[in-house]
Amino acid sequence: MAKSEFDSLIAQARASQPKKTIQKIVPEKIQSNKEKQFSFYIDKNILKQLKSRAIEEDRSLKAIINESILNYLKKPR
């Protein structure tokens, strides 16, 4: 097979492939000026348990984490 025939086959294969849909990811809008984005690493097993509990309780991870931090801060030093 000549190189031009091979190139033609490649062009045909590329043309017949479905176009990829690109999904736009938009960050969640901050609800108020009182919130600030914060990122951290968490143990995979802990995160799995946390997600499972959030689903069971029909709560968001954000709500559970905020409540947990507030409870920690309320403890005496």
Side-chain angles (χ1 to χ4, degrees):
M1 180 180 286
K3 182 175 178 355
S4 62
E5 292 174 329
F6 186 69
D7 290 342
S8 175
L9 283 173
I10 291 175
Q12 287 175 2
R14 286 183 179 154
S16 67
Q17 291 178 347
K19 296 192 179 197
K20 294 180 182 177
T21 302
I22 298 176
Q23 207 172 27
K24 184 176 180 182
I25 298 175
V26 180
E28 183 179 325
K29 291 183 180 180
I30 296 176
Q31 300 298 322
S32 70
N33 290 337
K34 294 180 181 181
E35 293 182 334
K36 180 75 176 163
Q37 183 177 355
F38 180 75
S39 300
F40 59 95
Y41 289 92
I42 187 170
D43 181 274
K44 289 180 184 181
N45 293 324
I46 294 171
L47 181 58
K48 187 175 180 179
Q49 292 175 43
L50 184 61
K51 286 180 177 182
S52 178
R53 179 75 64 91
I55 290 169
E56 289 171 10
E57 297 177 0
D58 194 28
R59 297 178 65 197
S60 70
L61 292 176
K62 175 182 167 182
I64 293 171
I65 291 169
N66 280 334
E67 180 182 322
S68 300
I69 292 170
L70 286 173
N71 287 335
Y72 174 80
L73 291 173
K74 288 177 184 176
K75 290 183 352 182
R77 292 183 182 199

